[in-house]
Amino acid sequence: MSPHILFLPGAGGAASFWHPLGALLPASWRKTYLSWPGLGLEPHDPAVRSLDDAVAHAASRLDGPSVVVAQSMGGVVAVRLALAHPERISHLVLTATSGGINVASLGASDWRGPYRAEYPKAADWILNDRTDLSAELHRIAIPTLLLWGDADPISPVAVGHRLAELLPRARLQVLAGGDHMFARDRADEIVTWVAEHLRTSE
């Protein structure tokens, strides 16, 4: 049976972030591209006013055992989904995310000021969230691929290594020269890693 892939973008909010990668994966694989209402330039929706609402928004789009592919802030949602609905997720692919751990202690730069400058109408909740899931990550037994770039100040490789230590079934791949947007801009260089993860993980 062809996998169903749920793509979650970062705080930029746009579903189109994942279109380049999705286009390179097999056409027979079912794909759902989610956007985040109220983030980036996306229109606001009264139903999505918090991270909890974003998690519920994403959970409603899980279709049977789904693969969740998530970028940055979307990775925090993906981890929340994996903790709440493990039976509904077959694989995780997390890229350039905090994964719900404290990244400041791992050398991450603060993205909030530049984000507010770029997206002055974005919802405030994204700037105020301080999720810490580090004590819960050991419960996630889902095969997880961690994709990082080694030139990303927002989520440095040290974050990927820390998540690889905390997640029982995770493996880390690092893209040389990859910045925070490498999953979109260099999709052709990561597609093989993603496809192999979905095909070989038991």
Side-chain angles (χ1 to χ4, degrees):
M1 182 177 175
S2 298
H4 170 247
I5 307 176
L6 177 61
F7 290 98
L8 306 180
S16 60
F17 179 92
W18 285 114
H19 289 174
L21 179 64
L24 295 172
L25 292 169
S28 62
W29 294 5
R30 296 175 299 130
K31 305 173 182 82
T32 299
Y33 300 94
L34 208 64
S35 61
W36 299 123
L39 298 189
L41 300 174
E42 297 299 302
H44 289 253
D45 180 343
V48 181
R49 291 183 171 176
S50 67
L51 184 65
D52 288 346
D53 292 342
V55 173
H57 177 56
S60 71
R61 305 303 293 274
L62 292 172
D63 182 8
S66 296
V67 176
V68 180
V69 179
Q71 151 79 3
S72 196
M73 161 263 169
V76 180
V77 175
V79 169
R80 289 273 305 271
L81 289 175
L83 289 166
H85 308 287
E87 74 289 349
R88 299 176 66 189
I89 300 173
S90 64
H91 301 74
L92 290 171
V93 179
L94 304 179
T95 70
T97 181
S98 74
I101 68 173
N102 178 1
V103 296
S105 64
L106 296 169
S109 63
D110 193 339
W111 56 275
R112 291 174 177 83
Y115 179 86
R116 175 53 82 204
E118 185 173 0
Y119 303 116
K121 296 182 180 179
D124 289 335
W125 66 262
I126 189 62
L127 302 172
N128 299 326
D129 182 70
R130 296 291 191 277
T131 297
D132 184 358
L133 303 171
S134 53
E136 300 180 64
L137 294 182
H138 70 277
R139 297 199 287 111
I140 298 177
I142 298 163
T144 303
L145 175 63
L146 303 171
L147 298 180
W148 254 253
D150 65 7
D152 180 3
I154 295 173
S155 185
V157 172
V159 178
H161 284 293
R162 182 66 177 137
L163 288 171
E165 294 171 357
L166 294 171
L167 292 162
R169 299 183 66 189
R171 63 187 182 91
L172 174 66
Q173 295 276 20
V174 178
L175 183 66
D179 63 14
H180 197 60
M181 299 299 185
F182 74 86
R184 178 193 68 192
D185 301 336
R186 297 172 64 180
D188 59 325
E189 297 178 67
I190 66 169
V191 63
T192 299
W193 290 338
V194 174
E196 287 179 351
H197 176 62
L198 303 194
R199 288 174 171 139
T200 61
S201 296
E202 296 297 330

